[in-house]
C-alpha cells in the first residue's frame, strides 16, 4: 500500500513495506520520508541507510538516491523515538458552517486535486489583517489522522472569484506548481471593463513592479525595473461605449497583472477602484464589486499510471459566475453562451524528463561558450587599454566601444 495506508502501523515493531506512489516518482529517498513518514528524522534515515536497514527493491540505498514509482521500500521498525514523541499536526477546529462553506465551494474532485469556485471577498491566504481565508478552511477536507492536509498551489486576489485548484498531496502539489510556473496551465478569465477597447483582440505587454510608497500593496507599469508581464485579451461583446465583456488570458503570473494591464490601456475592470479610481464604477444596476472571474482552467494531471513518463489526464474545469457578475451581465445584455472561454493560445506541450535534460545541457553549453567569449573580450580589452596607455599617456578622449565579435 501507499505510505499513508500503513501509517497506523508505523509505531509497531514490524518491518514495514511501502510501494512508491506516482506522486513520489523521482523524489529523493530522504524527501520521501519527510513527505510520508515525517515522524522519522533525517539522522535516523541516514543511519538506517548507512547500516543497510533501508532497502529499495531489495538493494541498499543512500538518502540522496531518487525513487521510481512502483518500487518497494523496506523500512525497519521504530524511528519515532523523539522526546515526547513526534509532534502531531494540529487540525484546525472548524465550525459546521465553515465546513459547509468549504464543501460548498467544491466543483470537481480527483485523486490529485480538489477544485473550488472561490467566492469574491474571500482571501486565498491569511495576512496581517486577514483571519478568514481559503487556506484556513482546508482542514474541512481532512477526514482523519491519515489524510494529508490539501495545499494551495496558486492564488486569486481577494475580490477575484472563480477556479482555484487545491492539491491533495505534497507530490501532486509539486507537479501542479511546476505546471503553473512553467505556463503549461491555461487560465481564462472573464471581466467586464469600462468603455470600449478599439482593438478587439490583442496582447498587452507592460512590465510590472511594486509601486513605491504603497508598502507593496499596489503594482504599476515600470518600463525600467519591472518584471516582464504579458496578457492576451479578446472582446466578446460591447454595451455601446459604456462597458465591454472581455476574455483575458495571463501569459505570465504577476500580482494584479490583469487589473493593472486593463487600467493601463484605459479600460479598468468594473469595480476595481484600486487601479481605475472613480472611473471604474458604473451607475445604475451595476454592482460596485469587482467584475473579474477565473472562468476556466485547463491543466494536465500528474501521472497516475505506473509506467514512467506517461502523462495523466486533462483537468478542464469551468466555474459559474458569482451573483453580482451574472446580474451585471444580464443588465448590460450579455449572454453567457456567447463564449466557452476557450484559451486564446495553443497548449504548451509538456517536456519529457529526457527533453528537459537535453535543454539543460544545451543551456549549460551556451552559457560556457558565452563566458569564454566574455573572458576573451575582457583580456583583449585590458591588453588594448595597456597599449593605448603606453602610446598616449596624456590622452583624455573617451575610448569608442569595440565592435562585438571581433578578436
Amino acid at each position: 500500500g501507499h505510505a499513508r495506508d500503513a501509517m497506523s502501523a508505523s509505531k509497531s515493531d514490524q518491518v514495514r513495506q511501502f510501494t512508491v506512489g506516482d506522486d513520489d516518482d523521482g523524489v529523493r529517498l530522504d524527501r520521501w520520508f519527510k513527505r510520508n513518514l515525517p515522524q522519522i528524522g533525517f539522522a535516523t534515515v541516514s543511519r538506517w541507510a548507512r547500516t543497510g536497514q533501508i532497502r529499495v527493491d531489495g538493494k541498499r540505498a543512500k538518502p540522496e538516491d531518487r525513487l521510481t514509482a512502483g518500487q518497494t521500500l523496506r523500512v525497519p521498525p521504530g524511528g519515532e523515538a523523539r522526546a515526547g514523541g513526534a509532534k502531531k499536526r494540529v487540525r484546525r477546529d472548524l465550525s459546521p458552517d465553515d465546513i459547509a462553506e468549504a464543501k460548498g465551494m467544491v466543483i470537481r474532485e480527483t485523486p490529485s486535486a480538489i477544485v473550488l469556485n472561490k467566492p469574491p471577498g474571500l482571501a486565498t491566504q491569511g495576512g496581517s489583517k486577514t483571519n478568514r481565508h481559503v487556506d484556513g478552511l482546508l482542514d474541512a477536507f481532512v477526514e482523519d489522522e491519515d489524510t494529508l492536509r490539501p495545499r494551495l498551489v496558486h492564488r486569486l486576489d481577494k475580490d477575484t472569484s472563480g477556479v482555484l485548484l487545491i492539491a491533495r498531496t505534497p507530490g501532486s502539489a509539486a507537479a501542479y506548481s511546476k505546471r503553473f510556473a512553467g505556463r503549461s496551465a491555461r487560465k481564462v478569465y472573464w471581466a467586464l471593463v469600462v468603455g470600449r477597447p478599439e482593438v478587439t483582440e490583442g496582447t498587452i505587454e507592460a512590465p510590472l513592479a511594486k509601486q513605491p510608497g504603497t508598502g507593496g500593496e499596489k503594482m504599476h507599469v515600470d518600463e525600467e525595473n519591472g518584471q516582464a508581464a504579458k496578457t492576451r485579451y479578446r472582446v466578446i461583446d460591447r454595451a455601446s461605449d459604456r462597458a465591454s465583456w472581455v476574455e483575458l488570458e495571463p501569459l505570465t503570473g504577476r500580482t494584479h497583472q490583469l487589473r493593472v494591464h486593463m487600467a493601463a490601456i484605459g479600460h479598468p475592470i468594473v469595480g476595481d477602484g484600486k487601479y481605475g479610481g472613480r472611473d471604474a464604477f458604473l451607475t445604475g444596476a451595476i454592482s460596485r464589486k469587482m467584475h473579474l472571474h477565473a472562468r476556466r482552467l485547463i491543466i494536465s494531471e500528474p501521472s497516475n499510471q505506473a509506467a514512467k513518463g506517461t502523462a495523466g489526464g486533462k483537468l478542464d474545469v469551468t466555474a459559474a459566475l458569482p451573483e453580482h457578475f451574472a446580474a451585471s451581465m444580464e443588465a448590460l445584455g450579455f449572454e453567457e453562451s456567447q463564449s466557452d472561454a476557450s484559451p486564446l493560445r495553443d497548449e504548451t506541450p509538456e517536456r519529457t524528463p529526457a527533453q528537459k535534460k537535453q535543454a539543460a545541457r544545451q543551456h549549460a553549453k551556451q552559457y560556457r561558450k558565452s563566458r569564454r567569449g566574455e573572458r576573451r573580450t575582457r583580456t583583449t580589452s585590458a591588453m588594448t587599454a595597456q597599449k593605448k596607455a603606453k602610446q598616449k599617456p596624456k590622452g583624455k578622449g573617451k575610448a569608442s566601444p569595440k565592435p562585438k565579435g571581433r578578436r
Side-chain angles (χ1 to χ4, degrees):
H2 191 275
R4 288 194 309 283
D5 304 340
M7 278 285 215
S8 51
S10 64
K11 286 191 170 65
S12 73
D13 53 5
Q14 302 292 307
V15 164
R16 292 158 281 176
Q17 287 214 338
F18 301 108
T19 303
V20 177
D22 300 301
D23 275 356
D24 294 318
D25 186 44
V27 303
R28 287 168 49 125
L29 178 64
D30 51 5
R31 188 92 192 120
W32 183 92
F33 273 92
K34 197 165 169 45
R35 282 181 179 184
N36 296 291
L37 297 170
Q39 67 274 30
I40 296 170
F42 178 74
T44 307
V45 173
S46 299
R47 190 180 76 246
W48 282 348
R50 204 170 51 244
T51 53
Q53 293 183 74
I54 293 175
R55 301 273 169 158
V56 177
D57 283 348
K59 296 180 185 136
R60 294 175 78 113
K62 296 184 189 134
E64 64 273 20
D65 287 352
R66 295 199 177 268
L67 301 171
T68 305
Q71 285 183 323
T72 303
L73 195 59
R74 175 202 185 275
V75 179
E80 297 91 359
R82 247 192 236 170
K87 269 191 190 172
K88 270 197 175 179
R89 191 186 59 75
V90 180
R91 183 182 168 190
R92 190 187 291 234
D93 276 332
L94 297 177
S95 70
D97 285 351
D98 287 340
I99 293 168
E101 183 182 6
K103 300 265 172 97
M105 286 191 260
V106 176
I107 46 177
R108 182 79 57 83
E109 290 197 65
T110 75
S112 63
I114 300 165
V115 187
L116 311 177
N117 184 356
K118 186 187 88 63
L122 179 67
T124 306
Q125 261 179 318
S128 51
K129 298 172 191 166
T130 315
N131 298 320
R132 192 162 179 71
H133 44 81
V134 174
D135 196 29
L137 296 171
L138 295 183
D139 281 287
F141 303 105
V142 180
E143 305 294 339
D144 51 43
E145 276 183 30
D146 293 347
T147 309
L148 293 169
R149 188 178 192 273
R151 303 162 176 231
L152 294 168
V153 285
H154 66 127
R155 288 189 290 276
L156 291 177
D157 291 347
K158 182 179 177 180
D159 296 314
T160 303
S161 54
V163 181
L164 186 67
L165 184 140
I166 313 293
R168 283 189 186 275
T169 65
S172 59
Y176 281 124
S177 296
K178 259 185 209 160
R179 286 159 176 72
F180 279 108
R183 312 280 167 239
S184 70
R186 292 181 295 164
K187 293 180 279 185
V188 179
Y189 290 75
W190 277 0
L192 296 185
V193 301
V194 175
R196 174 183 184 149
E198 276 176 43
V199 181
T200 56
E201 191 168 326
T203 303
I204 304 163
E205 290 192 74
L208 301 179
K210 285 181 179 174
Q211 192 171 311
T214 63
E217 286 289 310
K218 204 171 172 186
M219 306 294 283
H220 70 151
V221 173
D222 184 343
E223 298 287 351
E224 296 265 304
N225 309 307
Q227 288 184 295
K230 197 172 176 180
T231 302
R232 278 258 183 91
Y233 77 92
R234 182 167 74 89
V235 177
I236 303 164
D237 201 0
R238 301 180 172 118
S240 67
D241 290 339
R242 193 175 176 215
S244 302
W245 167 24
V246 295
E247 217 155 59
L248 300 166
E249 192 174 351
L251 303 183
T252 50
R254 310 285 168 229
T255 304
H256 300 170
Q257 177 177 316
L258 303 179
R259 298 164 60 186
V260 183
H261 273 179
M262 291 318 290
I265 63 164
H267 301 284
I269 291 169
V270 174
D272 187 6
K274 186 172 212 161
Y275 292 106
R278 262 189 260 165
D279 296 340
F281 301 98
L282 299 180
T283 52
I286 308 302
S287 166
R288 292 180 64 81
K289 287 183 183 177
M290 179 126 77
H291 291 72
L292 178 61
H293 177 74
R295 175 67 171 174
R296 187 175 178 186
L297 171 70
I298 303 171
I299 190 167
S300 53
E301 293 194 272
S303 164
N304 55 2
Q305 289 122 20
K308 214 179 165 196
T310 56
K314 273 269 178 290
L315 189 57
D316 185 343
V317 197
T318 298
L321 287 173
E323 261 177 60
H324 78 277
F325 201 137
S328 297
M329 291 273 285
E330 202 175 316
L332 293 165
F334 298 144
E335 292 274 341
E336 281 187 43
S337 57
Q338 283 174 265
S339 166
D340 64 356
S342 288
L344 303 168
R345 68 181 168 103
D346 292 330
E347 184 175 5
T348 311
E350 281 199 53
R351 294 186 298 177
T352 63
Q355 285 171 325
K356 283 180 190 166
K357 255 184 200 165
Q358 179 64 30
R361 273 202 295 269
Q362 206 59 37
H363 176 74
K365 197 174 173 183
Q366 286 298 114
Y367 180 72
R368 284 197 300 273
K369 250 190 187 174
S370 70
R371 295 292 292 169
R372 271 206 300 273
E374 260 179 51
R375 282 199 293 274
R376 249 179 237 142
T377 311
R378 278 207 297 268
T379 313
T380 316
S381 306
M383 283 161 68
T384 312
Q386 280 171 355
K387 274 184 192 170
K388 278 189 179 173
K390 282 177 187 170
Q391 286 165 7
K392 297 199 286 183
K394 289 175 189 173
K396 286 181 186 175
K398 278 189 181 175
S400 58
K402 278 183 70 182
K404 278 184 184 169
R406 284 185 62 181
R407 292 201 176 36

